[in-house]
Amino acid sequence: MTIQWFPGHMAKARREVTEKLKLVDIIFELVDARIPYSSRNPMIDEIIQHKPRLVLLNKADMADREVTKEWMNFFAEKGIKSLAINSQAGEGMKTITTASQEILKDKFDRLKAKGVKPRAIRAMIVGIPNVGKSTLINRLAKKNIAKTGNTPGVTKSQQWIKVGKEMELLDTPGILWPKFEDQEVGMKLAITGAIKDTLLNLHDLTIYSLKYLERFYPERLKDRYKLTELPEDAVALFDHIGRLRGCLMGGGMVDYDKVAELVIREFRSEKFGPISLEKPSDF
Ligand SMILES: Nc1nc2c(ncn2[C@@H]2O[C@H](COP(=O)(O)OP(=O)(O)OP(=O)(O)O)[C@@H](O)[C@H]2O)c(=O)[nH]1
């Protein structure tokens, strides 16, 4: 689902998350492991205030493992615990409960000391569109979607999902808007599918992807398109790929639109292997 964000939608999204915050002990901030900076909501700190949080670097299977480690260190330095997960395959699911228990240990110990009966940790997922919120909820839910009725004060359909004995998760995630701050962030969001590519020029997107590969993963680019040397400019590279892959118009001219579509499709379907599009040192 791709949402067009207008100020009214943003205000509503913020209000909904703020409302649900009161019901939970911890927020799971879901980001795309390939773009942990660009896929964060720009106002997340302001919205969730001091609520304990766990950053989940989702789609870690598509990101560069070494770079993901750098991001985990980056968050740790800010005092934020993060985990690399793959919701689609269900990898890292157990670690979410364990990490939440660690983060909330003091709070729950205090409650226990006051004689409050132990209860499950209550959590909710927030993140920008397409980051994997529904996939994660389904993974964690397994068959345990609790039909415990509605929670007062929340949307009628709101339910808690049991995640083992230790945790309960709100079944609807908080959907927040992505950053719109600059073109580069926009490129990364479009490449990873968080915003529609029709909002950007497909050729710009392709050139951005190719330049990125050229800079950080040159061998993969050469391997994929049977290049011995990297061409001097984008046009030469487009020509080479077009001829190699038969993206031609009548008369044998290279069809640049087709080349652009092909490269983006291959980039998104991991034909170049797992790739991270940003590092903590970029910021
Ligand atoms: N490779 C990979 N793909 C994933 C992972 N998690 C989710 N996906 C895919 O990412 C796409 C978006 O996932 P959703 O769960 O629909 O994302 P969402 O955040 O709920 O999206 P909205 O409903 O738009 O807010 C789907 O095609 C998922 O299969 C993951 O860890 N790895």
Side-chain angles (χ1 to χ4, degrees):
M1 177 177 56
T2 315
I3 304 172
Q4 294 279 17
W5 293 99
F6 296 107
H9 296 150
M10 284 150 73
K12 184 162 176 263
R14 180 185 180 146
R15 215 161 41 234
E16 282 176 5
V17 169
T18 307
E19 202 48 46
K20 288 186 210 160
L21 269 182
K22 298 175 196 150
L23 305 169
V24 300
D25 303 301
I26 187 165
I27 295 290
F28 297 152
E29 186 194 348
L30 203 56
V31 299
D32 188 318
R34 295 167 294 175
I35 47 168
Y37 168 80
S38 298
S39 63
R40 294 186 93 186
N41 169 270
M43 290 178 75
I44 189 73
D45 294 341
E46 220 179 285
I47 295 171
I48 75 171
Q49 302 272 339
H50 298 298
K51 185 67 76 177
R53 98 174 88 172
L54 175 61
V55 169
L56 300 175
L57 298 149
N58 193 37
K59 309 194 186 185
D61 54 307
M62 298 172 98
D64 191 318
R65 203 180 274 252
E66 289 309 310
V67 180
T68 300
K69 277 189 206 150
E70 287 176 32
W71 278 110
M72 290 174 74
N73 290 335
F74 168 87
F75 284 114
E77 277 165 22
K78 287 177 176 285
I80 301 173
K81 169 100 183 142
S82 66
L83 297 171
I85 62 164
N86 170 358
S87 299
Q88 200 167 52
E91 284 164 16
M93 299 299 108
K94 283 237 170 70
T95 56
I96 296 175
T97 308
T98 318
S100 305
Q101 285 169 327
E102 259 170 47
I103 292 168
L104 293 168
K105 189 173 181 309
D106 288 351
K107 175 179 172 178
F108 276 70
D109 281 351
R110 272 199 307 275
L111 288 173
K112 201 171 155 191
K114 282 189 198 158
V116 178
K117 217 173 116 213
R119 61 163 174 81
I121 290 171
R122 294 184 190 130
M124 80 177 280
I125 293 170
V126 302
I128 67 166
N130 207 44
V131 73
K133 298 178 294 299
S134 310
T135 310
L136 176 60
I137 290 174
N138 288 332
R139 267 289 161 194
L140 289 173
K142 291 187 204 138
K143 293 186 195 94
N144 297 329
I145 298 188
K147 301 279 179 215
T148 50
N150 302 329
T151 309
V154 206
T155 326
K156 267 196 205 122
S157 60
Q158 190 82 67
Q159 286 182 334
W160 292 100
I161 293 166
K162 282 199 186 344
V163 183
K165 284 199 190 84
E166 300 89 1
M167 197 160 75
E168 289 174 358
L169 186 66
L170 281 183
D171 71 345
T172 39
I175 306 175
L176 291 172
W177 62 96
K179 293 188 166 83
F180 304 107
E181 60 195 41
D182 64 32
Q183 219 198 349
E184 191 159 358
V185 168
M187 295 273 185
K188 294 176 191 172
L189 290 170
I191 293 170
T192 54
I195 61 171
K196 271 193 199 161
D197 15 293
T198 47
L199 296 176
L200 293 160
N201 180 308
L202 189 63
H203 288 236
D204 289 346
L205 215 57
T206 309
I207 291 170
Y208 183 86
S209 309
L210 287 170
K211 283 211 170 127
Y212 195 85
L213 286 165
E214 207 174 280
R215 181 156 171 225
F216 295 104
Y217 304 91
E219 294 312 314
R220 298 191 200 174
L221 182 61
K222 284 191 198 163
D223 277 0
R224 181 93 201 139
Y225 297 129
K226 300 186 172 45
L227 290 154
T228 41
E229 289 292 317
L230 288 170
E232 296 256 309
D233 60 31
V235 178
L237 187 53
F238 266 57
D239 277 333
H240 172 85
I241 298 170
R243 294 195 196 289
L244 180 76
R245 293 298 175 81
C247 302
L248 303 173
M249 299 189 284
M253 297 271 290
V254 168
D255 185 333
Y256 294 119
D257 288 345
K258 274 198 190 145
V259 174
E261 281 166 20
L262 174 112
V263 172
I264 288 297
R265 199 169 53 241
E266 295 197 345
F267 198 96
R268 286 187 178 143
S269 56
E270 287 185 275
K271 293 292 190 293
F272 300 96
I275 283 176
S276 295
L277 286 163
E278 58 194 23
K279 296 179 180 173
S281 55
D282 298 341
F283 302 97

